Amino acid sequence: MTKYTYTIPKKSTEMGKQVSNYVNSLTKPLGSLGRLEELAISLAEMKNESFPTVSPAGVLVFAADHGITDEGVSAYPKAVTEQMVLNFLNGGAAINVFSRQIGALLNIIDIGVASDLDHSDLINKKVRYGTGNFLREDAMSREEAEKAIEIGYEESIEMINKGAQCLILGEMGIGNTTVSSAILALLSGKAIEDVVGTGTGITEEGIQHKVSVIKQSLQNRNPDSSDPIDLIAKVGGLEIAGMTGAMLAAASKRVPILVDGFICTIAALLAKQLSPNASDYMIVTHQSVEPGHQIGLSLLGKKPLLDLGLRLGEGTGAAVTYPIIQSATLMVKEMATFESAGVSQKN
């Protein structure tokens, strides 16, 4: 296991009870705002505050390359990782649009892109130039896996210190659905066929190829599914490790984590493995169309808020869902109670 220990407080069930009673006193029939009421209570438990706030959101997008793309598992060439990072930095990607829409703080972190990028807004925390091809060698060393988690942790703390009241994690890395599917197969014990999807849009033939590459790779690497550091080191995902660390940091500071799609959910499962209390601070924002996502969510024990047929990543689903989560906080903060409004309650 990692040499680091993550101290994550238990959520405050007492505060949850207080807010639940308060929500029941608002000018509406009991339970009539459904999951918004559940969200308000959950946020109160996470933050240990009767009037929790999630504004502003902080978005961290971690970018890294994957050696497994040498095996032709993706519809796009590896160069797209670098090109998309530049698109993020120039403000033209979906996550830029949605971050602006919700007034979020946004940082782009190079944790393992396979080329050198030069941009004044880029946070350069490169652990190595992409991972090794895990069909043929370990993705990275154990030390590199731990370093990537620590970078994610530090970037998250920095974002929280800048005022972020909730955290949205995003990723960019051609080949990362292959890595995520491999990790999920190990964590769930499911057949690889059950957890592999189209990723960025491969054909049916491409899916069969992806399945066989993952099968052979896992035989070659033989990772220990009970050791998240071993999973990251052998199979990879520098950006997955970064998101894992960022989630652990957010949970340690009682900051809600808005979990995006499939790849983000894999990071959430690794964070939960490293520190079980971490999942108490997670809100799953949407259901991805990647087939493995449902399996990942059942392991996480969470129910998504939306299903919009999304599969982009970058943190986009979480950013789009954010206004709903904000609505839950505003409901508690701004709605009148029956008493304050002079409204008669049900007989």
Side-chain angles (χ1 to χ4, degrees):
M1 287 299 287
T2 173
K3 59 180 181 274
Y4 304 105
T5 52
Y6 302 101
T7 309
I8 294 173
K10 283 189 159 53
K11 61 183 183 180
S12 172
T13 51
E14 188 48 50
M15 183 58 75
K17 281 178 202 152
Q18 282 179 41
V19 171
S20 177
N21 290 335
Y22 183 74
V23 165
N24 287 343
S25 77
L26 299 175
T27 47
K28 58 173 186 59
L30 283 178
S32 59
L33 282 173
R35 289 189 71 188
L36 288 180
E37 299 185 21
E38 290 170 28
L39 272 173
I41 295 159
S42 286
L43 290 165
E45 290 176 334
M46 290 176 197
K47 295 203 148 202
N48 195 23
E49 293 170 8
S50 46
F51 296 98
T53 179
V54 290
S55 178
V59 182
L60 298 176
V61 180
F62 292 91
D65 275 303
H66 298 266
I68 197 71
T69 54
D70 294 348
E71 303 304 323
V73 290
S74 175
Y76 286 87
K78 188 154 76 174
V80 170
T81 303
E82 176 191 354
Q83 292 159 2
M84 277 302 296
V85 171
L86 291 170
N87 189 23
F88 295 148
L89 294 164
N90 294 326
I95 192 57
N96 299 102
V97 174
F98 302 143
S99 294
R100 286 194 292 269
Q101 178 193 357
I102 64 173
L105 307 163
L106 171 63
N107 283 349
I108 312 297
I109 301 130
D110 173 3
I111 198 165
V113 180
S115 52
D116 285 310
L117 290 156
D118 184 29
H119 195 288
S120 58
D121 292 337
L122 178 69
I123 297 170
N124 184 359
K125 298 284 180 175
K126 203 188 296 283
V127 174
R128 52 180 282 164
Y129 288 87
T131 55
N133 176 351
F134 75 98
L135 177 65
R136 306 179 191 284
E137 60 179 328
D138 286 358
M140 64 188 94
S141 70
R142 199 173 170 89
E143 293 67 34
E144 286 167 334
E146 290 183 341
K147 186 180 176 189
I149 291 171
E150 280 306 296
I151 287 166
Y153 195 96
E154 287 157 12
E155 289 301 317
S156 180
I157 294 292
E158 201 162 307
M159 180 59 90
I160 291 162
N161 288 343
K162 282 199 323 199
Q165 296 295 323
C166 69
L167 201 67
I168 291 171
L169 284 317
E171 38 55 47
M172 180 61 222
I174 296 299
N176 62 12
T177 57
T178 299
V179 168
S180 297
S181 297
I183 293 172
L184 181 61
L186 291 162
L187 291 176
S188 65
K190 298 276 186 194
I192 288 153
E193 289 84 351
D194 294 340
V195 297
V196 169
T198 59
T200 47
I202 54 173
T203 60
E204 188 55 46
E205 194 182 342
I207 291 175
Q208 297 314 315
H209 174 64
K210 192 168 166 179
V211 166
S212 67
V213 167
I214 293 172
K215 275 185 182 169
Q216 190 57 56
S217 300
L218 292 183
Q219 278 178 11
N220 295 352
R221 299 277 73 76
N222 192 28
D224 177 359
S225 61
S226 68
D227 180 356
I229 306 298
D230 195 55
L231 285 173
I232 293 166
K234 287 184 176 162
V235 177
L238 286 158
E239 78 280 44
I240 293 168
M243 290 195 294
T244 300
M247 290 181 192
L248 291 166
S252 76
K253 296 290 185 185
R254 291 188 170 276
V255 170
I257 303 151
L258 276 49
V259 179
D260 189 42
F262 179 47
I263 292 141
C264 194
T265 297
I266 300 305
L269 288 169
L270 294 169
K272 184 182 178 182
Q273 226 182 355
L274 283 164
S275 189
N277 284 0
S279 66
D280 287 347
Y281 294 87
M282 296 174 187
I283 297 166
V284 174
T285 56
H286 74 105
Q287 175 71 59
S288 166
V289 296
E290 277 290 311
H293 195 218
Q294 188 67 60
I295 295 163
L297 292 183
S298 63
L299 287 180
L300 201 56
K302 300 279 180 182
K303 193 167 106 185
L305 289 169
L306 295 176
D307 184 351
L308 298 174
L310 306 179
R311 57 179 176 87
L312 176 56
E314 302 176 10
T316 48
V320 166
T321 311
Y322 168 84
I324 293 172
I325 295 159
Q326 190 179 31
S327 296
T329 66
L330 296 175
M331 170 192 77
V332 178
K333 188 178 170 192
E334 298 180 12
M335 265 183 86
T337 62
F338 281 103
E339 192 180 355
S340 72
V343 175
S344 301
Q345 297 211 46
K346 186 171 82 168
N347 292 329

